[in-house]
Amino acid sequence: MFKFDLKMKLTTLLLFTAVLGLYANDGYAEKTKVSLDVENATVQEIIDNIESSTKFNFIYDTEHVNLLRKLSLKFKDKLIDKVLEQIFGNTNTNYKVKGTQVILYKSLIDKASKVPTIDRSAVEPIEVQSIITGTITNESGTPVGANVIEKGTTNGVLADFDGNFSIDISNENGTLVFSYVGYATQEIALNGQTTISVIMAESAVNMEEIVIVGYGSVKKSDLTGAVSSISSEDLGDRQATSVAGLIQGRAPGVEVSGDKIRIRGITTFNNTDPLVVIDGFLGGDLSTVNPNDIENIEVLKDASSTAIYGSRGANGVILITTKSGKKGAMEVNVNFWSGIKSTTNRRDVMNATQYIDYVHDALTNANQTITDKLLSDDVRVDRNDWQDLIFQTGNTSEVNVNISGGSDKATYYVSLAHRADEGIIIGASSKATYLRNKNTFAIKPWLDLGINTALSYKTAKGANPSFVQMLGYMPYKEIYDENQIGGYSDVDRINDASDVSNPLTRPNKIHPERNTLSYQTQVNLKLKPFKGFTYTIQAGLKGNSERFFQWTDTYVSASNVSVNAMQESSSYFYSPIVESFINYTKQIGDHNLSGLLGNTWQDGIQGGGIGIGATGYATNEIKLVSVASSPEAPTQSLFIDSRLSYFGRLNYDYKSKYLMTVNMRTDASPNFSPSNRWGYFPSLSLAWKISEESFLANSNAISQLKLRAGWGRSGNDAIGQYRYLSSVYSQGVGYPLGVSQQDAMGATVVQNASPEIKWETTESLTVGLDYGLFNNTLTGTIEYFDKQTNDILFAVPSPLSLGYGTGLDGGTIDGNAIVNAASVSNKGFEFLITKKGDLGKVNYNLSANYTYMENEVTGLGLGQPFLSAVSRTEIGFPIGHFFGYEADGLFLTQSAIDAANTAAQASGFDFFQEASTSAGDVKFKDLNGDGRIDGDDRTIIGNPIPKHLVGLNLSLNTAQLDFNMFWQGAMNLDIYDEGYRWNRAGVRILNQETSVLDRWISESQPGNGIQPRALSGDAVGNTRPSTLMVQDASYFRLKLISIGYTLSDQLTSKFGLTKLRIYASGENLLTLTGYDGFDPEIGGENLVRGVTSFIPPVAKTIALGVQIGL
Amino acid sequence: MKNILKNRFKIIGVFVLFLFPLVSCDKEILDLENPEQFTLATYFKTPDQIVQGTNAAYGAFFQFWVGSYQWPEIWDVLGNETHATAGALGSYHEVSVIQMMGYQHNETNRSVENLWRMWYVMILRSNLVIDRADIYLEENPSNDLVIRSRGEAYFLRGWAYFNLANYWGKVPIRTSFDQSENINAPLASSADEVWAVAESDLKIAQSVLKDVGTYGDSDIGRATKGAATGFLGKLYLTTERYQEAETELAKLEGHYDLLSAEDYLWNFGETNENNIESVFEFQSAYQEGDATTTMFTNVEGGPTPAMNNMQPQLHSWNGWPNWKFPPTREQAFLYQDESGTDFIDPRGAETFYGGVAGDDTWCDMCAEDPNRVYDFAGLGYYYKKKGNKEVKPSESGTAAGAAVSGNNIRQMRYADVLLMRGEIALMLGNPSGCIDFINIVRRRFGIFEYTAANYSDSEVFDLLKREREVEFMGEGSRFNDLKRWGILEETLNPEFQEIYGTQPVRASHYFFEIPQNERDTNFGL
């Protein structure tokens, strides 16, 4: 039994514990079971009890532990951690188990008042009276280069690399203060000692969750904004191929579809991607990050937390912290996994006989002749299932190695990963290699240096087949035809009466390859000239260079011969950034203040590319442009950009109970005219830690309760460059003149200037409640948000008669001038609840989140609703809702359509719907009741923005087994299926889905009353945008299930390893949905969101992996 | 031992040095200039640049699939002068034209929209040239290049408004490049208002532009005084201002002439374009290589303008083909002479292959076995006028790959001028004058001439109808003629009844509907 008054016998204790540490058995705590049964016993008595029944020794400062507190406890065979949690979990006492030692210490929060403050005015010459020397180590004996300050003075020194220090002091009975980043500050009264050894305890702050916020970090409990935090532990150990996939369903209010991340709804038509900040580097690219390198992801959701990023924060911010080296021995981790992938879904298409019957029907109904070939028996033979030939079992495997470690002065983390992937669709394969290096150097006590470098190299090969062709190519066709150029069978445009070509031709004849090297490097210099003050300057460079090469063999597709051709292009992009900022923290009594002031400077962002191409190759061997007979004109592109920002923040709290954060950022964007260039983005947020109030302090049920509210404004300038100026194009507008008909150069304006456009702004209000109940075993958040976006910048489709927009036919220039076009509100609730606990030997963690969202357009800049394809924006409706006709069954009989036409003629129209609408055609609703169907009968027919988002995560762990299951879903959203008009409507001479079997055939065979008659060409407009194309796409999907087994320490050490875990996991194994397309989980961009045109099915993946720690 | 105190001031100094240049950094970094595009503020300041603006206005014809392939198709199907093969019926790109074939086109028809957009692109680009040329000419009033460019712009704008008035009647009028006031534009109050713009524009063009003979080799193909005069005459004819029409069209005499019978096909092929018979044609250039894709995406900002067309690809035996000569139209070439003897008009053999009246040898320019006997049974009937006699490498072969023809798209030839003058004479009560003009056109092929005394007024009109049909079959004239004469339904419905069993043409088909996409975007309507 050891129990000391530290003041009296510190030296002895430290020496003794240091010696004891040598014998400490690190595995003791994991093996020893503690049983306890006490009624109303003091903490002192309980400690005595444990010490007497086990080898555990308690070491503590009597001032730090309330030994007289009384408790009633009953345990049987619990681990010491659980016991300590029960005893001290609710108090200010922290504990740490090191071998057989149990160290108790007070948490820093309450000790705050004891943190030495440096009075800069009291700099006076001090008479040197004595010299104190000593050694500083941490609990594991590693030297710590801590600061040593004589309390009440500015006199201080720094311990050297070996932890030795020597300080002249003015008062031999004074107190020394030892402090170091990551450790609890310690005060030791000298009482005349001249030699002391100090053991620094790891800081309580470190143990509490720290949340990275813009240009700084904050204790999670001190957060005032809406931030979701996802740590690598939440993510579990599993294979991961995209960062977006890691985030999906983990945080309320965050919607992920494919690689698109949307935070709290769709606020704009423009770029709705959140800002990505990787290790403080503004504007990172998620695709260049190896998910295995991620330590932590923070999602900043409300403007009060994103305003520090100003214009770039309007869509939320994703802060990625990559793994770092930690002080201590080198760690080597290897993670290898390999898996196979298959399709989740297919579409049923008709067989040859069904197809031919359909074709006869479709041609006859359109007064077209049925060719002899289509009348023969030969075309009723099923020869190929094109989906079988195009879908394949894909595979994917990855190896990850990371090495990390460090000393007090420097840490390192190096990781290397390589992934090879072959898709579930023929033709495409990819490879990726990632390298990341992260070093930190504590050069001086006042100077830290960090250097991060990340490289990714990706190769993507292969051309994808067309899904229209895959579903539509005739089942009676052969794969090969030696008489065709290129050797693949082709459609005979006359005899097959179709222009759908062989889906296998493209992937076999076109050979694209894209190689992309991306890099992101950053140097981070931190100066700490005096206590509480940090000046950081970080300079970074990111960029990429890409090479694309495509060779096309000669082939024929729908009678169209593509001659052998080569295309090559190279592009580059680089983007430097310099940010500098000052953080200052000051404590005055119970008032804590911290401030931030800084700027961001981006100049010289550059990019561009060149491209060449040629046709007319005699052979396939040499692919240089120099041997081609017809080189194409080279192309070139150039790009420059810049940004300038200033920002500041003030945090204030009183007793860490009432908290306030004020942010301000101003951004200048060259996307606006000089007079509208600067945008100002302030925010204010407040929090009240109710649980700190005396009336809750002793509550057993409520361990944590915080109410917070915030308001802020952020902005968006992602409209592309130079849109405030007019644009004159000379490409693509020439004209061949003269006898020789050489192209004469042309030039024209392709876009009006919009000098008056200004920043789009989003104001958001958030009210949230964070709670932790029952000793924080039940935690969660309830949050209300109201985001109002004004002056949304959008290129509202201009009238066709304005004469712009030839680019719509496949070019990039839509010719529509940008205007501040609309306002939209996103309101909703978010709920997060997490329950932790154990069932005997099994620890469980069950976490669920739910978001309810409502999106509504509240204003229109031009005063008129507008339409982009089928997506409409109108006050009172969700942004980009689907707009079209309401189908109302079919005209089942000719007399029905005749009656409708007669009525229409009575109203003065030629006909009710279309001139040749007949029995079997879709009947649309005459919504405006004018007696005919026209554009005025369109209405909202679907909403692509989900109202409900859910995520559900369950993990179970025992000492050796781990299990994780993760579900994700979205409800109350629609998909508009562009594929309908190709493969489902029965209007094209190409194979159709089996739903067409239920079509109207005659008045005596009316089918299911929904599927209209087959009609080649669709002269009657059965495929106009209507409810027939819209489907509910709610889904609930088992995104991930994994199970792992970690070998016991004894076994692992036999192999000379520190960790050995094997695991299996499956992705997308089960999807519950009523949607019958390939995949309900489609995103789509902004205004055309939710419109699918053959999105490939998501892959089902099953993988096996092994993790090794060396 | 390091004393933090001592270092502090040094560090603050360093920090100030670091921060100062950054905080005071230059706001000029935000003044970017587009490295890829000019702006209106700096461009169209020189004669060359203004000429480029005019070139772009011509180029508008090749936007939106119009010049590339839909131009002849639309008028062919509306005038019942072509026959869709399964290739056209099954093609995605022909859907809107197939709708027109059945007179099923409405406000959502893509071809209707494409025409609308093409003409308004031409108007916008012409407005730009006029606007900039006016500014330039204020300083340099005698620059011939700018004067000519401005005149061409007026011609193109006039031609566009002519067509808009003709096909839609009332449309938005945009006559200024300053769009601040007219982004949303109301419909003109009447079609006459639109016609008036076209008339005024063509008159300006006529007064500014020079005769075709004054154009150098490198400018052949540009609009001339004759082109402006021809369309001004046609405008007067269409709007029934016959006297003015005759005055204008008569001015072309001496400047243009009919080609000889041997050279008749120069009116359709790729050699000797812009010849003596040509009043105006849009220029199209053969482009080697695979231009099919460019064909459909011939856009501003695209890599290379592909001002070629798919006419031979889509209509002739060496193409896909999507369209054939309709056998029912052969009857037009089979009639009796004035003595009652059956007569086969020789222009049939210049117009199509097949049947009795068509050419019975084909493949004139094939390397192998040229002029072989036409296989009527196997091939059906084909347009000879639309087949490119000068077959280029990538247009031949088993599967005729790319659509790269350089056939110019003819808008008006002198035979049309003569027959228009004949029509004017008839309308002015001078049927024998009409017969005279008809006979000039017939004389080229040595066809028997009509004797005026043998025909009543209405019979002369029938002769004129037949003459225009035979002379211009497949050239996009018939629909406009029938429309001008007001006999669209009575002529076409019986023909459609015979072929398709339907009578779809209605009074409402004299005009296209304003495209739905215009209605959805133009808040001024």
Side-chain angles (χ1 to χ4, degrees), chain A residues 186-469:
Chain A
Q186 234 180 92
E187 292 184 21
I188 292 173
L190 291 171
N191 298 326
Q193 298 171 95
T194 54
T195 308
I196 52 175
S197 293
V198 182
I199 294 182
M200 304 278 287
E202 276 187 34
S203 162
V205 175
N206 243 19
M207 291 171 185
E208 191 178 354
E209 202 176 330
I210 295 291
V211 175
I212 308 293
V213 294
Y215 306 101
S217 60
V218 62
K219 280 182 284 180
K220 188 168 187 185
S221 61
D222 285 354
L223 263 181
T224 57
V227 177
S228 289
S229 196
I230 306 161
S231 73
S232 56
E233 287 153 29
D234 297 333
L235 302 173
D237 293 313
R238 63 158 185 133
Q239 92 280 10
T241 51
S242 88
V243 180
L246 290 181
I247 296 170
Q248 185 172 38
R250 302 286 176 179
V254 181
E255 186 204 353
V256 177
S257 294
D259 273 345
K260 296 287 171 205
I261 302 169
R262 298 289 170 259
I263 295 170
R264 286 191 174 166
I266 307 297
T267 56
T268 177
F269 302 121
N270 299 304
N271 182 10
T272 41
D273 294 329
L275 172 72
V276 174
V277 179
I278 301 168
D279 290 331
F281 192 111
L282 205 64
D285 178 1
L286 283 184
S287 71
T288 63
V289 180
N290 173 8
N292 287 280
D293 288 338
I294 293 179
E295 176 73 35
N296 222 43
I297 302 170
E298 325 286 353
V299 183
L300 313 186
K301 296 187 287 193
D302 66 339
S304 55
S305 53
T306 63
I308 196 68
Y309 290 110
S311 63
R312 298 170 230 217
N315 301 315
V317 181
I318 292 180
L319 301 177
I320 305 270
T321 308
T322 60
K323 288 174 183 162
S324 304
K326 290 185 180 65
K327 247 177 315 192
M330 181 169 78
E331 281 183 35
V332 180
N333 288 299
V334 179
N335 183 3
F336 171 78
W337 57 266
S338 183
I340 54 168
K341 305 196 283 188
S342 57
T343 52
T344 46
N345 197 354
R346 283 190 174 208
R347 299 187 118 163
D348 288 329
V349 293
M350 296 189 286
N351 66 29
T353 297
Q354 291 166 336
Y355 170 70
I356 292 300
D357 288 343
Y358 154 76
V359 168
H360 289 184
D361 210 9
L363 290 173
T364 307
N365 286 338
N367 286 322
Q368 295 169 14
T369 347
I370 299 167
T371 62
D372 290 346
K373 179 176 182 181
L374 295 175
L375 289 167
S376 71
D377 286 339
D378 184 57
V379 294
R380 290 181 181 268
V381 178
D382 282 291
R383 296 200 171 83
N384 285 294
D385 179 332
W386 302 101
Q387 289 186 80
D388 271 351
L389 293 163
I390 282 178
F391 287 127
Q392 63 181 8
T393 301
N395 61 72
T396 180
S397 55
E398 180 172 305
V399 60
N400 260 286
V401 180
N402 67 60
I403 302 170
S404 65
S407 66
D408 290 327
K409 294 282 187 184
T411 67
Y412 59 91
Y413 174 86
V414 184
S415 87
L416 182 67
H418 180 76
R419 179 165 69 233
D421 189 282
E422 195 162 333
I424 55 172
I425 296 163
I426 60 161
S429 67
S430 66
K431 283 179 184 170
T433 305
Y434 301 93
L435 178 66
R436 182 173 291 273
N437 187 3
K438 198 171 179 186
N439 294 306
T440 63
F441 304 96
I443 296 173
K444 299 283 177 188
W446 46 270
L447 181 64
D448 289 338
L449 176 68
I451 299 178
N452 301 343
T453 312
L455 286 179
S456 74
Y457 179 71
K458 294 184 177 182
T459 302
K461 276 186 191 176
N464 279 323
S466 144
F467 277 37
V468 173
Q469 293 170 1

Side-chain angles (χ1 to χ4, degrees), chain A residues 249-250 846-849 950-954 965-969 1036:
Chain A
R250 302 286 176 179
L846 181 65
S847 172
N849 66 69
V950 291
L952 187 65
N953 191 53
L954 172 67
M965 181 168 72
F966 169 50
W967 291 80
Q968 192 263 339
F1036 193 50

Side-chain angles (χ1 to χ4, degrees), chain A residues 541-556:
Chain A
L541 179 69
K542 71 165 181 173
N544 64 59
S545 74
E546 187 168 282
R547 185 243 188 186
F548 174 78
F549 187 90
Q550 176 172 295
W551 175 258
T552 306
D553 290 320
T554 299
Y555 70 92
V556 62

Side-chain angles (χ1 to χ4, degrees), chain B residues 170-303:
Chain B
K170 290 192 289 183
V171 297
I173 293 177
R174 299 172 182 276
T175 51
S176 163
F177 183 71
D178 175 12
Q179 295 144 24
S180 50
E181 295 300 316
N182 70 349
I183 282 179
N184 296 317
L187 293 181
S189 56
S190 69
D192 287 345
E193 215 182 312
V194 185
W195 283 114
V197 175
E199 181 189 352
S200 157
D201 284 353
L202 290 169
K203 275 182 170 167
I204 294 171
Q206 185 189 38
S207 68
V208 168
L209 292 173
K210 299 196 167 145
D211 283 324
V212 62
T214 65
Y215 282 67
D217 277 359
S218 61
D219 288 317
I220 291 295
R222 293 188 182 277
T224 60
K225 183 189 280 291
T229 308
F231 279 98
L232 187 59
K234 191 171 184 181
L235 181 150
Y236 289 136
L237 170 65
T238 310
T239 53
E240 300 176 6
R241 292 157 72 178
Y242 300 115
Q243 201 60 62
E244 289 158 288
E246 167 58 21
T247 308
E248 294 304 331
L249 294 176
K251 290 177 184 170
L252 299 179
E253 222 167 284
H255 296 284
Y256 300 93
D257 203 353
L258 296 179
L259 290 166
S260 68
E262 299 79 62
D263 297 337
Y264 183 65
L265 289 177
W266 289 1
N267 284 316
F268 318 106
E270 216 172 325
T271 47
N272 294 307
E273 295 171 319
N274 305 303
N275 52 55
I276 189 72
E277 189 167 341
S278 171
V279 178
F280 185 67
E281 53 198 61
F282 278 102
Q283 311 295 303
S284 177
Y286 170 73
Q287 183 176 322
E288 195 166 8
D290 177 14
T292 316
T293 315
T294 334
M295 209 77 257
F296 298 118
T297 57
N298 188 17
V299 294
E300 289 164 343

